Amino acid sequence: MKLKTILLLLFLGLPFGSVAAGLPTITMGIGEATDPGEVSTALQILVVLTILSVAPAILLMTTGFTRIVIVLSFMRQAMGTQSAPSNQIVIGLAMFLTFFVMAPVFEQINDQALQPYLDKEISQEKALDLAVEPMRNFMFSQVGEKDLQLLVDISNSPQPENQEDISLLTLIPAFMLSELKRAFQMGFLLFIPFLMVDMIVASILMAMGMMMLPPIIISLPFKILLFVLVDGWSLVVGSLVRSFG
Protein backbone atom coordinates (compact mmCIF):
# COMPACT_ATOMS: atom_id res chain seq x y z
CA MET A 1 0.00 0.00 0.00
CA LYS A 2 1.25 3.46 -0.89
CA LEU A 3 2.86 5.62 1.76
CA LYS A 4 0.38 8.40 1.01
CA THR A 5 -2.52 6.06 1.79
CA ILE A 6 -0.98 5.02 5.10
CA LEU A 7 -0.32 8.62 6.20
CA LEU A 8 -3.80 9.77 5.25
CA LEU A 9 -5.44 7.02 7.27
CA LEU A 10 -3.23 7.82 10.23
CA PHE A 11 -4.09 11.53 10.10
CA LEU A 12 -7.80 11.06 9.54
CA GLY A 13 -8.31 7.99 11.70
CA LEU A 14 -10.02 5.97 8.96
CA PRO A 15 -9.58 2.20 8.82
CA PHE A 16 -8.32 0.79 5.56
CA GLY A 17 -11.38 -1.37 5.14
CA SER A 18 -13.80 1.56 5.39
CA VAL A 19 -11.93 3.39 2.62
CA ALA A 20 -11.55 0.58 0.16
CA ALA A 21 -14.24 -2.02 0.80
CA GLY A 22 -16.77 -0.77 3.33
CA LEU A 23 -16.86 -2.10 6.87
CA PRO A 24 -15.38 -5.63 6.87
CA THR A 25 -16.61 -8.40 9.13
CA ILE A 26 -14.01 -10.23 11.19
CA THR A 27 -14.43 -13.95 11.82
CA MET A 28 -12.05 -16.13 13.76
CA GLY A 29 -11.15 -19.29 11.93
CA ILE A 30 -9.43 -20.74 8.91
CA GLY A 31 -11.40 -21.62 5.83
CA GLU A 32 -11.24 -21.66 2.09
CA ALA A 33 -11.98 -18.34 0.44
CA THR A 34 -14.72 -18.53 -2.17
CA ASP A 35 -14.48 -14.92 -3.33
CA PRO A 36 -11.37 -12.87 -4.17
CA GLY A 37 -12.93 -10.03 -2.21
CA GLU A 38 -12.67 -12.09 0.98
CA VAL A 39 -8.92 -12.40 0.50
CA SER A 40 -8.63 -8.67 -0.15
CA THR A 41 -10.59 -7.83 3.01
CA ALA A 42 -8.48 -10.17 5.12
CA LEU A 43 -5.30 -8.60 3.81
CA GLN A 44 -6.66 -5.13 4.58
CA ILE A 45 -7.39 -6.16 8.17
CA LEU A 46 -3.88 -7.55 8.51
CA VAL A 47 -2.42 -4.29 7.21
CA VAL A 48 -4.59 -2.29 9.63
CA LEU A 49 -3.38 -4.27 12.65
CA THR A 50 0.23 -3.89 11.50
CA ILE A 51 -0.03 -0.14 10.88
CA LEU A 52 -1.77 0.52 14.20
CA SER A 53 1.33 -0.63 16.05
CA VAL A 54 3.46 2.09 14.44
CA ALA A 55 0.74 4.68 13.86
CA PRO A 56 1.56 6.82 16.93
CA ALA A 57 5.23 6.99 16.00
CA ILE A 58 4.49 7.95 12.39
CA LEU A 59 1.98 10.59 13.45
CA LEU A 60 4.31 12.13 16.04
CA MET A 61 7.27 12.16 13.65
CA THR A 62 5.37 14.29 11.14
CA THR A 63 4.16 16.92 13.64
CA GLY A 64 5.79 19.30 16.12
CA PHE A 65 5.58 16.84 19.02
CA THR A 66 9.28 15.94 18.93
CA ARG A 67 10.48 19.52 19.41
CA ILE A 68 7.95 20.27 22.14
CA VAL A 69 8.54 17.19 24.29
CA ILE A 70 12.34 17.48 24.09
CA VAL A 71 12.31 21.15 25.10
CA LEU A 72 10.00 20.44 28.03
CA SER A 73 12.25 17.57 29.14
CA PHE A 74 15.31 19.83 28.94
CA MET A 75 13.54 22.43 31.05
CA ARG A 76 12.81 19.89 33.76
CA GLN A 77 16.42 18.71 33.78
CA ALA A 78 17.73 22.28 33.89
CA MET A 79 15.63 23.02 36.96
CA GLY A 80 16.86 19.83 38.61
CA THR A 81 13.42 18.81 39.87
CA GLN A 82 13.97 15.20 38.73
CA SER A 83 10.40 13.90 38.32
CA ALA A 84 8.41 17.11 38.76
CA PRO A 85 6.52 17.53 36.54
CA SER A 86 6.13 13.83 35.88
CA ASN A 87 6.58 12.17 32.50
CA GLN A 88 2.81 11.83 32.10
CA ILE A 89 2.33 15.58 32.57
CA VAL A 90 5.16 16.47 30.19
CA ILE A 91 3.89 14.13 27.48
CA GLY A 92 0.28 15.24 27.99
CA LEU A 93 1.21 18.92 27.73
CA ALA A 94 3.32 18.18 24.65
CA MET A 95 0.42 16.34 23.02
CA PHE A 96 -2.10 19.15 23.53
CA LEU A 97 0.42 21.78 22.43
CA THR A 98 0.97 19.67 19.32
CA PHE A 99 -2.76 19.64 18.61
CA PHE A 100 -2.82 23.42 19.11
CA VAL A 101 0.09 23.98 16.71
CA MET A 102 -1.20 21.52 14.12
CA ALA A 103 -4.86 22.63 14.30
CA PRO A 104 -4.72 24.73 11.08
CA VAL A 105 -3.14 21.81 9.21
CA PHE A 106 -5.71 19.30 10.48
CA GLU A 107 -8.55 21.68 9.65
CA GLN A 108 -7.22 22.07 6.13
CA ILE A 109 -7.04 18.29 5.73
CA ASN A 110 -10.60 17.94 7.03
CA ASP A 111 -12.01 20.68 4.79
CA GLN A 112 -10.13 19.82 1.60
CA ALA A 113 -9.88 16.03 1.77
CA LEU A 114 -11.93 14.27 4.43
CA GLN A 115 -15.29 16.00 4.15
CA PRO A 116 -15.38 16.05 0.31
CA TYR A 117 -14.45 12.38 0.28
CA LEU A 118 -17.13 11.45 2.81
CA ASP A 119 -19.63 13.41 0.71
CA LYS A 120 -18.46 11.42 -2.33
CA GLU A 121 -17.43 14.57 -4.14
CA ILE A 122 -13.88 13.44 -4.87
CA SER A 123 -12.20 10.08 -5.42
CA GLN A 124 -9.98 8.26 -2.96
CA GLU A 125 -6.83 9.07 -4.95
CA LYS A 126 -7.74 12.76 -5.05
CA ALA A 127 -8.45 12.76 -1.32
CA LEU A 128 -5.05 11.21 -0.61
CA ASP A 129 -3.24 13.88 -2.60
CA LEU A 130 -5.21 16.69 -0.95
CA ALA A 131 -4.63 15.28 2.55
CA VAL A 132 -0.88 14.77 2.21
CA GLU A 133 -0.22 18.19 0.71
CA PRO A 134 -0.88 20.23 3.92
CA MET A 135 1.41 17.94 5.92
CA ARG A 136 4.13 18.28 3.29
CA ASN A 137 3.79 22.06 3.38
CA PHE A 138 4.11 22.07 7.17
CA MET A 139 7.21 19.89 7.12
CA PHE A 140 8.78 21.95 4.34
CA SER A 141 8.20 25.11 6.39
CA GLN A 142 10.16 23.64 9.31
CA VAL A 143 12.85 21.51 7.65
CA GLY A 144 16.37 22.86 7.19
CA GLU A 145 17.99 22.96 3.77
CA LYS A 146 21.15 21.24 5.03
CA ASP A 147 19.20 18.38 6.57
CA LEU A 148 17.14 17.98 3.42
CA GLN A 149 20.23 18.03 1.24
CA LEU A 150 21.89 15.46 3.51
CA LEU A 151 19.05 12.97 3.00
CA VAL A 152 19.04 13.62 -0.76
CA ASP A 153 22.77 12.93 -0.94
CA ILE A 154 22.51 9.79 1.19
CA SER A 155 19.71 8.39 -0.99
CA ASN A 156 21.78 9.00 -4.14
CA SER A 157 18.67 10.40 -5.79
CA PRO A 158 18.78 13.09 -8.50
CA GLN A 159 18.96 16.67 -7.30
CA PRO A 160 15.34 17.85 -6.92
CA GLU A 161 14.28 20.92 -8.85
CA ASN A 162 11.31 21.75 -6.62
CA GLN A 163 9.43 20.46 -3.58
CA GLU A 164 7.28 18.10 -5.64
CA ASP A 165 10.41 16.12 -6.57
CA ILE A 166 11.13 15.29 -2.91
CA SER A 167 9.43 12.15 -1.67
CA LEU A 168 7.99 11.62 1.80
CA LEU A 169 10.66 8.99 2.51
CA THR A 170 13.24 11.77 2.16
CA LEU A 171 11.23 14.60 3.70
CA ILE A 172 10.19 12.89 6.95
CA PRO A 173 13.69 11.94 8.24
CA ALA A 174 15.03 15.36 7.18
CA PHE A 175 12.18 16.98 9.10
CA MET A 176 13.01 14.86 12.16
CA LEU A 177 16.67 15.89 12.02
CA SER A 178 15.69 19.56 11.85
CA GLU A 179 13.32 19.17 14.78
CA LEU A 180 16.00 17.48 16.91
CA LYS A 181 18.53 20.18 16.07
CA ARG A 182 16.14 23.01 16.90
CA ALA A 183 14.98 21.33 20.11
CA PHE A 184 18.56 20.94 21.37
CA GLN A 185 19.31 24.57 20.54
CA MET A 186 16.32 25.73 22.56
CA GLY A 187 17.24 23.34 25.37
CA PHE A 188 20.74 24.82 25.56
CA LEU A 189 19.30 28.31 25.96
CA LEU A 190 17.06 27.05 28.77
CA PHE A 191 20.05 25.67 30.68
CA ILE A 192 21.96 28.99 30.80
CA PRO A 193 20.00 30.88 33.52
CA PHE A 194 19.74 27.82 35.75
CA LEU A 195 23.44 27.10 35.26
CA MET A 196 24.26 30.62 36.41
CA VAL A 197 22.28 30.07 39.62
CA ASP A 198 24.16 26.82 40.27
CA MET A 199 27.51 28.53 39.73
CA ILE A 200 26.65 31.42 42.05
CA VAL A 201 25.46 29.10 44.81
CA ALA A 202 28.51 26.84 44.41
CA SER A 203 30.85 29.85 44.63
CA ILE A 204 29.15 31.13 47.79
CA LEU A 205 29.30 27.73 49.46
CA MET A 206 32.97 27.35 48.56
CA ALA A 207 33.74 30.81 49.95
CA MET A 208 31.98 29.86 53.18
CA GLY A 209 33.98 26.63 53.43
CA MET A 210 30.87 24.44 53.04
CA MET A 211 32.35 22.30 50.29
CA MET A 212 30.75 19.08 51.58
CA LEU A 213 27.22 20.45 51.08
CA PRO A 214 25.85 19.65 47.59
CA PRO A 215 25.06 22.94 45.81
CA ILE A 216 21.93 21.46 44.26
CA ILE A 217 20.24 21.33 47.65
CA ILE A 218 20.61 25.09 48.09
CA SER A 219 20.19 26.16 44.46
CA LEU A 220 17.00 24.19 43.75
CA PRO A 221 14.65 26.48 45.74
CA PHE A 222 16.25 29.55 44.14
CA LYS A 223 15.84 28.09 40.65
CA ILE A 224 12.18 27.32 41.32
CA LEU A 225 11.70 30.84 42.69
CA LEU A 226 13.38 32.35 39.64
CA PHE A 227 11.22 30.24 37.33
CA VAL A 228 8.04 31.30 39.10
CA LEU A 229 8.95 35.02 39.25
CA VAL A 230 9.59 35.25 35.51
CA ASP A 231 6.45 33.19 34.72
CA GLY A 232 8.60 30.50 33.17
CA TRP A 233 5.82 28.25 31.93
CA SER A 234 4.26 31.02 29.88
CA LEU A 235 7.65 31.98 28.44
CA VAL A 236 8.58 28.42 27.49
CA VAL A 237 5.20 27.50 26.03
CA GLY A 238 4.91 30.82 24.20
CA SER A 239 8.40 30.46 22.70
CA LEU A 240 7.65 26.88 21.63
CA VAL A 241 4.43 27.77 19.87
CA ARG A 242 5.93 30.85 18.19
CA SER A 243 8.89 28.80 16.97
CA PHE A 244 6.54 27.05 14.52
CA GLY A 245 5.45 30.33 12.98
Side-chain angles (χ1 to χ4, degrees):
M1 186 156 303
K2 293 182 178 180
L3 181 60
K4 287 185 178 180
T5 306
I6 296 173
L7 291 177
L8 173 63
L9 297 174
L10 294 179
F11 297 144
L12 304 182
L14 297 176
F16 284 84
S18 63
V19 174
L23 294 176
T25 57
I26 302 177
T27 57
M28 302 300 294
I30 300 176
E32 183 178 355
T34 59
D35 186 1
E38 297 179 4
V39 179
S40 176
T41 301
L43 292 177
Q44 291 173 6
I45 295 173
L46 179 62
V47 172
V48 169
L49 297 178
T50 303
I51 293 299
L52 285 179
S53 62
V54 297
I58 296 177
L59 181 60
L60 297 180
M61 286 190 301
T62 55
T63 62
F65 178 82
T66 301
R67 184 193 309 182
I68 295 173
V69 73
I70 291 178
V71 171
L72 293 179
S73 299
F74 270 128
M75 185 195 67
R76 182 178 62 181
Q77 294 178 12
M79 293 180 61
T81 54
Q82 302 300 324
S83 59
S86 63
N87 291 332
Q88 292 84 350
I89 296 176
V90 171
I91 295 175
L93 178 59
M95 285 292 297
F96 279 98
L97 287 177
T98 302
F99 294 148
F100 179 79
V101 171
M102 300 297 298
V105 179
F106 292 152
E107 289 178 1
Q108 188 176 359
I109 293 175
N110 180 70
D111 296 338
Q112 295 184 1
L114 178 59
Q115 294 303 324
Y117 175 75
L118 294 179
D119 295 336
K120 299 182 180 180
E121 298 176 358
I122 57 176
S123 63
Q124 176 184 348
E125 189 68 25
K126 183 66 174 178
L128 296 178
D129 294 335
L130 293 176
V132 172
E133 192 62 28
M135 294 303 302
R136 285 176 57 91
N137 292 336
F138 171 78
M139 287 187 285
F140 273 119
S141 67
Q142 302 298 323
V143 70
E145 293 185 6
K146 292 183 178 179
D147 301 319
L148 196 57
Q149 185 62 50
L150 173 64
L151 269 297
V152 172
D153 295 338
I154 294 176
S155 62
N156 293 324
S157 57
Q159 190 68 23
E161 297 181 358
N162 48 50
Q163 294 183 358
E164 286 71 20
D165 295 337
I166 300 176
S167 65
L168 286 174
L169 293 178
T170 301
L171 177 60
I172 292 178
F175 170 75
M176 286 293 296
L177 287 177
S178 298
E179 289 295 285
L180 290 173
K181 182 185 300 182
R182 195 162 295 144
F184 273 70
Q185 292 172 350
M186 297 179 69
F188 170 76
L189 296 177
L190 282 174
F191 263 92
I192 294 178
F194 298 110
L195 180 60
M196 296 299 297
V197 174
D198 287 333
M199 294 177 62
I200 293 173
V201 171
S203 299
I204 294 175
L205 292 178
M206 184 175 297
M208 296 175 61
M210 304 174 64
M211 292 178 291
M212 299 301 295
L213 181 64
I216 187 63
I217 298 178
I218 307 300
S219 64
L220 180 58
F222 289 99
K223 289 192 290 186
I224 295 177
L225 178 62
L226 173 65
F227 192 74
V228 172
L229 290 178
V230 300
D231 197 9
W233 285 110
S234 297
L235 291 176
V236 173
V237 171
S239 299
L240 273 172
V241 174
R242 294 188 186 97
S243 67
F244 291 96

